[in-house]
Amino acid sequence: MDIDKVIKKYVPMTETAFYILLSLTEPRHGYGIVKHVEDITNGRIALGSGTVYGTLTKMQKDGIITVFADEERKTVYEVTETGRKLITAEINRLKELYQNALKYEGDFL
């Protein structure tokens, strides 16, 4: 799938999809993704295995991540170039959202 179609399909991302993809700054196992998301959200988000593996399967199908087995024959997930472009587009969208929230929040106080 080309990057424009991927961005149109995924942006804006759900919070869980965002954190799952953000966890793939390095290749990780499914459980490693769950623990990483829990760590970087200070326990606010506790992903269920169904959510993680369902999202990873969808992302693999759309070429956002690749899957391979490590030396222990465990399934490892890694972001692709398309996935990197997608997370960059979403981060830029969130930056704009944040900057506008700061700019206009005083109008509501």
Side-chain angles (χ1 to χ4, degrees):
M1 186 181 295
D2 75 45
I3 187 62
D4 292 333
K5 287 182 180 176
V6 169
I7 288 173
K8 187 173 181 177
K9 183 175 180 178
Y10 282 88
V11 174
M13 297 180 83
T14 64
E15 190 172 15
T16 55
F18 176 78
Y19 276 118
I20 288 169
L21 193 55
L22 196 66
S23 294
L24 296 177
T25 53
E26 62 186 67
R28 293 185 196 273
H29 302 102
Y31 181 71
I33 292 169
V34 170
K35 294 305 297 174
H36 186 257
V37 170
E38 199 173 303
D39 288 347
I40 65 175
T41 64
N42 297 315
R44 183 175 64 82
I45 297 178
L47 297 173
S49 59
T51 299
V52 171
Y53 292 110
T55 302
L56 289 170
T57 299
K58 182 178 170 190
M59 288 180 172
Q60 181 186 8
K61 184 177 171 186
D62 291 332
I64 296 166
I65 62 168
T66 59
V67 181
F68 62 93
D70 66 8
E71 62 279 354
E72 298 169 356
R73 302 180 77 178
K74 290 184 177 178
T75 303
V76 178
Y77 302 92
E78 185 173 39
V79 69
T80 64
E81 187 58 32
T82 297
R84 290 184 188 285
K85 289 177 182 174
L86 172 61
I87 195 74
T88 299
E90 180 64 353
I91 288 170
N92 288 335
R93 187 188 73 81
L94 292 171
K95 282 180 182 177
E96 178 191 294
L97 194 70
Y98 177 70
Q99 289 165 355
N100 282 325
L102 293 178
K103 183 176 179 181
Y104 293 103
E105 75 175 326
D107 295 344
F108 295 97
L109 299 177

